[in-house]
Amino acid sequence: LEVRVVSNRTSCPCPICSLPSSAIHSYYRRHPIELPCAGRIVKLILCVKKFFCRTESCLRKIFTERLPELIEPSSRLTTRLRTLIQAIGVAFNANGGARLGVQMGIHVSRMTMLFSLHLLAVHPVKQVKHVGIDDFAWKRGLRYGTVIIDLDTHQIIDILPDREAESVKKWLAAHPEIEIVSRDRGGAYAD
């Protein structure tokens, strides 16, 4: 299915100075990936405008129209699809989520699944008593991180940028209410 979407806004606020502009510079097309419809792949063609920012003190002279209810800036996935991918990734994992996605008509890689999990808003931890700690690969063989999960709710609590013992130690020190830690057998977490 091919869906063409054209915005009918006559003006748009500048993302830097927030002043609206109606001076159109040009148009361009985006081709974000959308949720499938009735088992068919949806080809979305989104025509957006570029505007001139007429504010002299603003650093941005030309800016693109923002459509946050449909797609985030610079994203290749619509907001609806990103939300579904994140839910699948949390319930399964990157590999399992990618395999399930293919059966649902969502053709994204395991790296897209993993990157989408990284974009999840992590809510501040209140009182958690049981946590699970494991590592995962941002880029296999090169860069690893640590995921911390509440074992009672099965929700991701935090994602640490590395898998070093010092990072985990600082995180655990900030949460003295923790009673049980289920960890990976890796040496860093044992330390």
Side-chain angles (χ1 to χ4, degrees):
L1 299 174
E2 186 173 286
V3 179
R4 295 177 186 268
V5 180
V6 180
S7 172
N8 59 1
R9 292 181 182 165
T10 57
S11 67
C12 190
C14 174
I16 303 293
C17 67
S18 299
L19 293 174
S21 173
S22 58
I24 297 173
H25 173 271
S26 60
Y27 296 83
Y28 82 102
R29 289 186 179 151
R30 294 182 69 178
H31 301 275
I33 303 170
E34 174 59 319
L35 282 172
C37 178
R40 294 177 178 240
I41 294 174
V42 174
K43 182 179 178 184
L44 185 62
I45 301 170
L46 179 61
C47 185
V48 292
K49 300 175 186 91
K50 287 186 178 183
F51 290 91
F52 288 105
C53 182
R54 299 295 189 196
T55 307
E56 291 293 326
S57 60
C58 185
L59 298 174
R60 178 90 37 104
K61 299 304 176 196
I62 298 171
F63 63 92
T64 304
E65 177 179 23
R66 304 281 198 248
L67 303 169
E69 62 279 358
L70 180 62
I71 188 168
E72 293 294 321
S74 303
S75 178
R76 294 182 56 233
L77 307 176
T78 62
T79 305
R80 293 180 340 142
L81 181 58
R82 177 81 66 195
T83 303
L84 181 62
I85 286 174
Q86 289 169 336
I88 291 171
V90 167
F92 296 98
N93 58 36
N95 285 332
R99 285 192 305 269
L100 176 64
V102 169
Q103 292 183 1
M104 296 172 62
I106 302 169
H107 300 278
V108 294
S109 68
R110 66 178 183 80
M111 291 308 294
T112 300
M113 285 276 181
L114 189 60
F115 181 75
S116 294
L117 286 177
H118 181 63
L119 296 177
L120 272 173
V122 178
H123 303 293
V125 178
K126 294 178 182 154
Q127 290 292 330
V128 62
K129 295 186 183 285
H130 312 116
V131 297
I133 297 176
D134 200 359
D135 61 345
F136 67 94
W138 292 108
K139 186 158 183 146
R140 191 176 301 173
L142 297 175
R143 194 168 144 239
Y144 292 88
T146 300
V147 63
I148 302 173
I149 297 173
D150 183 344
L151 292 176
D152 296 325
T153 63
H154 304 286
Q155 298 295 314
I156 295 175
I157 298 172
D158 207 350
I159 297 176
L160 304 179
D162 56 36
R163 62 177 177 181
E164 302 298 321
E166 193 59 35
S167 299
V168 175
K169 182 179 174 182
K170 286 179 185 176
W171 193 92
L172 289 172
H175 301 282
E177 72 277 6
I178 294 175
E179 297 173 359
I180 297 174
V181 176
S182 174
R183 64 172 176 81
D184 184 295
R185 293 182 304 195
Y189 301 130
D191 292 344

